[in-house]
Amino acid sequence: MEFILWIIAVILVVSGIVTIFRGAVLWGIALIVIGLLVGPGGVSIFT
């Protein structure tokens, strides 16, 4: 379960960075913040 959360967090952060480069800064920041909240290495909302 922890590995799956880590993978989801990485996907969210990377897609947030790509979104920022495409011009949607607020949406990209939101994706990065959600990725950091989901990730088991950060502040996980599931623990």
Side-chain angles (χ1 to χ4, degrees):
M1 184 68 181
E2 203 170 299
F3 181 72
I4 294 172
L5 288 177
W6 188 83
I7 293 293
I8 292 171
V10 168
I11 291 171
L12 285 171
V13 170
V14 169
S15 62
I17 293 170
V18 170
T19 304
I20 287 175
F21 281 122
R22 287 186 174 180
V25 176
L26 290 177
W27 183 237
I29 291 173
L31 284 173
I32 292 172
V33 169
I34 292 170
L36 293 176
L37 288 175
V38 170
V43 183
S44 182
I45 58 175
F46 296 110
T47 57

